[in-house]
């Protein structure tokens, strides 16, 4: 019985000691954190692609506009939660975290939203769709994002265009090759490549009500079409020339329809140096024709030479 009482007493004392130590540490941290002035603010902006809409200077401006930039304030007056909530109201910020240290520093870390496609539809709307298929407002931000144009509503951009661009961006080769997609009124998709003076029509993406089936269907559709395009590039255009055709249609599974450039289009797209050389050659040929014995000008020159010879004979005679 006495043994049990002693054991209970030790347990109670241990608990009281732990509570005391916890309160002491909290009090120490409170004084160390709140009893001095914020001397330094560390802002880190990160995202997966190391490119985004905001810089550390932009974060500083946002906080200054709200009188929340902590440098120079007493640490007890700095509220990390308010700073986080203010930053997360920005449409380009996904997550914001703020913390205070015992030596008068405030650390702010911001993760940006990652855009997947830049939509510039024919109805005048200009916006981004991020990797979570949410709309982001347009900005002056420039990057190598695919540009989507044509007959695109916001719903279609979020549910179809964004999925297609995500598939393209996942493949390094196609990400570098395709710079624009265009949606026609019949919902057929056109691809505009960086290399080659042509447009590729790959047909209409399959439509599903269920999100998982829709994503899977679009991915399979693009794989099939892009595999065919890859073979055509390798065994067709590599032999015929990248600029031979103006329009390539892969809409139907059993055929590839190609339209050549019009003659006037080819002339219009010819390099200026080639045109200059062609003009120089024409000018030389023209001169040769004019000075050749059979030409009118050549005959005139030959006649003058004969007259000069006759005059020379008369004077010598």
């Amino acid at each position: 019985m006495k043994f049990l009482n002693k054991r209970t007493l030790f347990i109670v004392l241990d608990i009281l000691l732990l509570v005391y130590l916890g309160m002491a540490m909290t009090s120490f941290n409170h004084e160390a954190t709140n009893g001095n002035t914020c001397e330094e603010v560390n802002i880190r902006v990160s995202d997966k692609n190391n490119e985004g809409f905001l810089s550390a200077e932009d974060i500083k401006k946002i906080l200054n506009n709200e009188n929340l930039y902590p440098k120079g304030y007493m640490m007890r007056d700095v509220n990390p939660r308010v700073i986080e909530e203010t930053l997360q109201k920005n449409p380009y910020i996904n997550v914001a975290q703020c913390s205070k240290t015992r030596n008068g520093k405030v650390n702010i870390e911001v993760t940006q939203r990652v855009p997947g496609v830049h939509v510039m539809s024919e109805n005048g709307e200009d916006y981004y769709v991020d990797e979570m298929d949410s709309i982001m407002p347009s900005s002056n931000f420039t990057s190598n994002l695919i540009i989507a144009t044509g007959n695109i509503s916001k719903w279609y951009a979020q549910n179809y265009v964004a999925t297609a661009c995500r598939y393209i961006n996942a493949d390094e080769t196609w990400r570098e090759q395709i710079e624009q997609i265009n949606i026609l009124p019949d919902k057929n998709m056109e691809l505009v490549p960086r290399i080659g003076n042509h447009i590729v029509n790959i047909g209409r993406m399959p439509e599903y009500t269920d999100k998982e089936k829709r994503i899977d269907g679009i991915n399979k559709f693009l794989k099939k079409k892009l595999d065919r395009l890859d073979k055509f590039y390798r065994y067709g255009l590599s032999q015929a020339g990248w600029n031979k055709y103006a329009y390539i249609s892969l809409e139907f599974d059993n055929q590839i329809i190609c339209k050549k450039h019009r003659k006037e289009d080819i002339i219009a797209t010819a390099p200026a140096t080639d045109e200059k050389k062609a003009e120089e050659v024409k000018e030389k040929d023209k001169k040769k024709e004019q000075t050749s014995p059979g030409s009118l000008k050549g005959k005139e020159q030959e006649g003058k030479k004969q007259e000069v010879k006759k005059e020379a004979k008369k004077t010598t005679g």
Side-chain angles (χ1 to χ4, degrees):
M1 187 73 179
K2 289 182 179 181
F3 175 76
L4 290 174
N5 288 337
K6 285 183 179 181
R7 187 176 180 182
T8 304
L9 179 62
F10 283 129
I11 292 173
V12 172
L13 289 174
D14 287 341
I15 293 172
L16 291 174
L17 180 61
L18 288 171
V19 171
Y20 171 77
L21 290 173
M23 292 176 65
M25 289 297 294
T26 302
S27 176
F28 174 77
N29 288 334
H30 180 77
E31 290 299 324
T33 303
N34 297 325
N36 52 6
T37 303
C38 176
E39 301 290 342
E40 184 179 339
V41 180
N42 298 315
I43 300 175
R44 183 171 177 266
V45 181
S46 63
D47 59 64
K48 290 194 300 186
N49 297 325
N50 295 320
E51 58 179 21
F53 299 89
L54 300 171
S55 64
E57 191 62 31
D58 293 324
I59 302 300
K60 182 178 178 180
K61 287 179 182 178
I62 293 171
L63 295 177
N64 273 326
N65 290 339
E66 300 293 331
N67 294 319
L68 289 174
Y69 190 66
K71 190 172 183 179
Y73 282 81
M74 296 298 293
M75 292 295 281
R76 61 173 163 267
D77 296 328
V78 177
N79 190 329
R81 185 170 182 178
V82 173
I83 289 174
E84 291 172 354
E85 291 174 351
T86 300
L87 291 175
Q88 287 185 181
K89 291 177 183 177
N90 187 284
Y92 304 117
I93 293 176
N94 186 30
V95 178
Q97 294 179 321
C98 179
S99 62
K100 299 189 289 184
T101 67
R102 289 188 299 167
N103 55 355
K105 294 182 181 180
V106 174
N107 296 320
I108 300 172
E109 184 167 352
V110 170
T111 303
Q112 301 183 79
R113 294 171 65 184
V114 180
V117 58
H118 185 182
V119 179
M120 302 175 70
S121 63
E122 64 182 13
N123 60 11
E125 292 180 328
D126 186 350
Y127 53 90
Y128 298 95
V129 181
D130 69 8
E131 59 182 359
M132 302 302 293
D133 297 338
S134 297
I135 301 295
M136 299 171 60
S138 180
S139 76
N140 295 325
F141 170 71
T142 57
S143 72
N144 292 325
L145 288 176
I146 294 174
I147 297 175
T149 58
N151 187 18
I152 305 173
S153 65
K154 287 186 176 179
W155 180 87
Y156 194 79
Q158 290 175 277
N159 290 279
Y160 286 89
V161 175
T163 303
C165 289
R166 192 156 45 245
Y167 181 89
I168 293 170
N169 288 329
D171 186 289
E172 185 177 357
T173 300
W174 294 117
R175 183 173 67 245
E176 295 298 324
Q177 171 68 348
I178 298 172
E179 64 178 352
Q180 180 183 343
I181 65 174
N182 184 61
I183 304 299
L184 300 172
D186 62 359
K187 288 296 183 288
N188 273 15
M189 180 190 291
E190 294 178 330
L191 306 178
V192 181
R194 286 189 171 90
I195 300 174
N197 187 22
H198 59 265
I199 295 173
V200 181
N201 186 333
I202 63 172
R204 180 170 179 158
M205 289 185 283
E207 298 179 2
Y208 297 92
T209 304
D210 182 76
K211 184 177 181 179
E212 290 185 4
K213 289 182 179 179
R214 180 168 63 245
I215 293 172
D216 183 61
I218 293 172
N219 289 344
K220 289 179 178 178
F221 167 82
L222 287 171
K223 184 180 187 311
K224 182 178 180 180
K225 296 293 184 178
L226 293 177
D227 282 350
R228 289 183 68 203
L229 181 59
D230 178 61
K231 291 177 182 177
F232 181 71
Y233 277 169
R234 290 176 185 272
Y235 307 114
L237 288 192
S238 62
Q239 302 296 323
W242 285 89
N243 296 319
K244 182 172 183 178
Y245 300 111
Y247 203 83
I248 301 167
S249 177
L250 305 176
E251 181 179 1
F252 305 106
D253 291 341
N254 58 348
Q255 61 183 345
I256 297 177
I257 302 172
C258 300
K259 294 181 182 178
K260 292 183 179 180
H261 288 279
R262 294 180 299 175
K263 190 173 182 180
E264 54 268 31
D265 292 336
I266 296 173
I267 294 172
T269 57
T273 54
D274 292 346
E275 291 178 2
K276 189 175 180 181
K277 288 179 181 177
E279 290 297 327
E280 289 175 355
V281 171
K282 285 180 182 179
E283 192 65 30
K284 287 180 181 178
D285 292 341
K286 190 175 180 181
K287 287 179 180 178
K288 286 180 181 179
E289 289 175 2
Q290 289 177 345
T291 56
S292 63
S295 65
L296 179 60
K297 190 170 183 179
K299 290 178 181 178
E300 290 176 355
Q301 289 177 348
E302 189 64 29
K304 287 181 180 180
K305 286 179 182 179
Q306 296 295 332
E307 290 177 5
V308 171
K309 287 180 181 179
K310 288 179 182 179
E311 291 293 328
K313 287 180 179 178
K314 287 179 182 180
T315 54
T316 55

